């Protein structure tokens, strides 16, 4: 793998979480001129991405979530590599939220519900994990105070014009993204056991 340039800076030097926080700030600064004119429902779909980037800052600055996952899910062995964590967050979050926003702009706010459900499913997993383990986890604060209110508000604002099919697709995408992550971690755990 390339260990120089942008990849090295983002992943090997673990700068992508800080870069995501800067990107979130830029996206929030663009809100009044780019998105607000499209109405409240589209604005709430748009806000899912900067909110998720702020959440990623809480999770990943200082490599907190990956270290936590490797300790708790991997029993001290690496089940989440730096590269995997980056790709999970860039493809499974940034890309999904961006596609949701474009879908909402083209087909209406209900087509962007994947972004809201992605945040809500993630929030539920953080909360359930904290209750089950009786300890906080990296990302719990923003999951509770950003994801829950923004996700619920997005569902509420689109309720009148959204079909159950749009909800099913949005929830299905969010669950599928999280199942891919769980599947990856389980495969890594199995590989670690085989290697032991």
């Amino acid at each position: 793998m390339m260990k120089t340039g942008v990849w090295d800076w983002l992943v090997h030097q673990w700068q992508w979480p800080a870069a995501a926080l800067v990107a979130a700030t830029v996206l929030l600064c663009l809100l009044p001129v780019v998105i607000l004119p499209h109405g409240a429902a589209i604005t709430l779909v748009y806000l899912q991405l900067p909110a998720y980037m702020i959440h990623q800052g809480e999770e990943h600055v200082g490599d907190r979530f990956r270290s936590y996952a490797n300790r708790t899910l991997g029993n001290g062995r690496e089940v989440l590599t730096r590269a995997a964590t980056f790709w999970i967050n860039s493809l499974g979050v940034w890309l999904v939220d961006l596609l949701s926003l474009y879908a909402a702009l083209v087909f209406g706010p209900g087509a962007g519900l994947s972004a809201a459900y992605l945040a809500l499913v993630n929030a539920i997993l953080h909360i359930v994990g904290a209750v089950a383990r009786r300890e906080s986890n990296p990302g719990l604060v923003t999951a509770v105070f950003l994801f829950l209110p923004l996700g619920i508000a997005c569902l509420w604002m689109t309720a009148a014009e959204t079909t159950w099919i749009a909800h099913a697709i949005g929830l299905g995408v969010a669950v599928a993204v999280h199942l891919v992550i769980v599947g990856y971690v389980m495969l890594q755990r199995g590989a670690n056991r085989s290697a032991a």
Side-chain angles (χ1 to χ4, degrees), residues 4-22:
T4 58
V6 175
W7 179 258
D8 181 57
W9 184 80
L10 283 172
V11 179
H12 296 289
Q13 295 178 36
W14 207 246
Q15 297 299 321
W16 76 264
L21 288 172
V22 172

Side-chain angles (χ1 to χ4, degrees), residues 18-106:
L21 288 172
V22 172
T25 303
V26 171
L27 290 172
L28 290 171
C29 290
L30 292 172
L31 182 68
V33 292
V34 175
I35 294 300
L36 281 179
H38 292 283
I42 296 288
T43 298
L44 285 165
V45 172
Y46 176 85
L47 284 172
Q48 302 304 315
L49 182 55
Y52 221 118
M53 290 173 158
I54 293 166
H55 172 73
Q56 290 168 331
E58 181 193 354
E59 280 185 319
H60 298 292
V61 168
D63 209 7
R64 289 186 294 253
F65 184 81
R66 198 177 71 85
S67 299
Y68 177 82
N70 288 338
R71 176 177 59 84
T72 58
L73 302 175
N75 298 317
R77 292 178 175 229
E78 189 172 60
V79 291
L80 275 178
T81 64
R82 286 184 169 213
T85 304
F86 172 76
W87 286 118
I88 287 166
N89 283 279
S90 57
L91 297 178
V93 176
W94 303 339
L95 181 61
V96 168
D97 278 4
L98 187 60
L99 292 174
S100 295
L101 175 61
Y102 281 120
L105 288 167
V106 172

Side-chain angles (χ1 to χ4, degrees), residues 151-175:
I152 291 168
C154 190
L155 296 182
W156 180 267
M157 287 301 297
T158 60
E161 55 192 88
T162 304
T163 66
W164 68 268
I165 295 170
H167 282 283
I169 291 169
L171 180 59
V173 168
V175 169

